[in-house]
Amino acid sequence: MIDRRMLLQGSLAAGVTALAPVPAWAKGHADDPKIDAFVKANGFAGAIVRAKAGKPVYARNFGLANIAAAKPATTDTVYGIASISKFLTTVTILKLVEAGKLALEAPIATLLPGYRTDTGAKVQLAHLLSNTSGIPNDFIPALKTEPDLVTRDLGPAESVRRFASGDLAFEPGSKFDYALTNWFIVLAIVEAATAKPFEQAMREITLDPLGMTHTGSVEGDAALSYRTVEPPVLWPNPRVPVMLAGGGYFSTAPDLLRIGHAVFDKGFVSPASIKALRTVRVPDQDYSIGGRVRTMTIAGKPVEAAWETGRTAGFRTLLAHRYDTQESIVLLNNTGISQKTIDLFADSLFGAEPRA
């Protein structure tokens, strides 16, 4: 049943966000007026979790996962996490580096059999993971003439050949280009290094060891993605398997909390891997490999945090983790509010001074 805080105001039809049951692992957590005000002002629907050393200190699920069915969001509601998939993929890459099967600075021509040797000798795996490779994004132009490419599975080899094998757009390492085709190649490299399908390798190397049982490529009982709530208008999220490494995963708040804590606090990856995750390679984007490192000003001092974000269709997601205090924030939303709104709210929850 929905508890006594079921309605924050009026009725759902009037644009209100309802409060779903308190998760068992968050019983006893006090309400937070700042969060309630944010939810009401922005029509936020989804999960908001704050944690310390991996343990929730605040957890609430707001609104509906499915408006037509009047189904409330719950702890186990699955959301499209979009580019947070890059972080999951990068953790798996780092585990393969630790096992001696890959190297961040290795040219991709040595990691992916059959890739063209001229450009492949210049582009390193780390360039792909930091979106600085210069690999062209020929997938987007192809979509204009073949719109069904987002639903037609060509497989990794053909996708890399057609969309990620053209001449370099710029010298590797010299620019930032958030091209999905970087991650087509990453996916193919993981398959080559493990001799397994990408999704199986991800599950065996990262997801299963961390107990991320609700994380995967299949939407299952996921929240629906909405373009608008009044009236409810669904926002389709078509994709093919080759997009998985760069943006195709679905997950829950508990699973994302689990990986953030395991990676940054519990030694799931080596100190060398942590250094790689914390080293900013593109300063004007705060980008490292597989995600960002956000520097906030808190109590007059600079504070760094891992800052993983995702946006696809109506899903807006964030996993933020302070390195110094082991504080985490997970925000999962399915009503298409702006990513900037999500980021600024996370800043305020950490107590950061307003961004310039």
Side-chain angles (χ1 to χ4, degrees):
M1 291 183 64
I2 296 177
D3 65 19
R4 61 184 174 81
R5 298 178 305 276
M6 171 65 183
L7 297 179
L8 295 179
Q9 63 171 357
S11 68
L12 186 61
V16 168
T17 304
L19 186 63
V22 178
W25 47 272
K27 293 291 187 184
H29 295 180
D31 292 337
D32 187 321
K34 177 191 289 186
I35 292 177
D36 289 346
F38 168 80
V39 168
K40 180 178 178 180
N42 293 282
F44 180 94
I48 298 178
V49 177
R50 301 185 67 184
K52 173 80 170 181
K55 296 181 179 180
V57 297
Y58 175 96
R60 291 289 187 272
N61 302 291
F62 299 90
L64 299 178
N66 183 322
I67 294 175
K71 181 180 179 180
T74 70
T75 302
D76 292 334
T77 297
V78 175
Y79 298 81
I81 60 171
S83 285
I84 295 181
S85 304
K86 294 179 173 68
F87 173 61
L88 307 187
T89 298
T90 300
V91 170
T92 298
I93 290 284
L94 291 171
K95 296 294 287 184
L96 289 170
V97 170
E98 293 168 12
K101 295 184 177 182
L102 293 174
L104 291 179
E105 310 308 324
I108 64 174
T110 67
L111 303 178
L112 188 59
Y115 195 80
R116 58 185 287 184
T117 57
D118 54 349
T119 57
K122 301 173 71 174
V123 176
Q124 300 174 356
L125 177 56
H127 290 139
L128 299 174
L129 300 176
S130 58
N131 302 297
T132 60
S133 68
I135 294 293
N137 187 353
D138 291 332
F139 184 71
I140 299 302
L143 276 177
K144 295 179 180 179
T145 56
E146 300 177 73
D148 68 334
L149 283 174
V150 291
T151 58
R152 178 157 48 100
D153 182 13
L154 299 179
E158 179 64 7
S159 296
V160 168
R161 186 192 69 79
R162 281 195 59 185
F163 310 124
S165 297
D167 294 339
L168 295 178
F170 53 82
E171 194 67 19
S174 66
K175 295 181 181 180
F176 182 83
D177 182 13
Y178 208 59
L180 187 59
T181 43
N182 286 313
W183 298 86
F184 289 5
I185 300 175
V186 169
L187 182 146
I189 287 173
V190 170
E191 293 195 345
T194 62
K196 296 176 181 178
F198 175 80
E199 192 168 3
Q200 180 183 347
M202 281 278 286
R203 182 145 300 283
E204 293 178 0
I205 294 169
T206 299
L207 303 183
D208 281 352
L210 293 180
M212 297 177 68
T213 58
H214 294 285
T215 301
S217 65
V218 180
E219 297 181 39
D221 198 22
L224 297 182
S225 160
Y226 291 96
R227 190 179 299 274
T228 64
V229 173
E230 300 179 64
V233 177
L234 290 172
W235 197 339
N237 183 35
R239 65 206 179 284
V240 287
V242 75
M243 298 178 180
L244 194 56
Y249 272 91
F250 287 73
S251 191
T252 64
D255 274 12
L256 292 182
L257 182 62
R258 188 173 290 115
I259 191 172
H261 179 53
V263 168
F264 293 110
D265 303 333
K266 298 290 287 182
F268 182 68
V269 297
S270 70
S273 293
I274 291 294
K275 182 179 180 181
L277 286 169
R278 293 185 59 173
T279 299
V280 174
R281 291 172 176 263
V282 191
D284 65 339
Q285 295 288 330
D286 299 327
Y287 210 89
S288 175
I289 55 173
R292 290 179 165 83
V293 177
R294 163 103 170 92
T295 300
M296 300 172 284
T297 301
I298 300 176
K301 297 180 180 180
V303 173
E304 288 189 341
W307 207 265
E308 320 298 342
T309 63
R311 181 182 67 181
T312 182
F315 295 116
R316 302 290 183 270
T317 58
L318 180 139
L319 166 62
H321 185 84
R322 279 183 63 169
Y323 302 131
D324 58 342
T325 61
Q326 299 187 5
E327 293 177 77
S328 300
I329 294 171
V330 178
L331 301 174
L332 301 175
N333 170 263
N334 67 324
T335 59
I337 66 177
S338 79
Q339 191 68 46
K340 183 177 181 180
T341 297
I342 293 283
D343 286 347
L344 293 177
F345 179 55
D347 279 0
S348 72
L349 292 180
F350 277 133
E353 296 177 12
R355 303 189 190 196

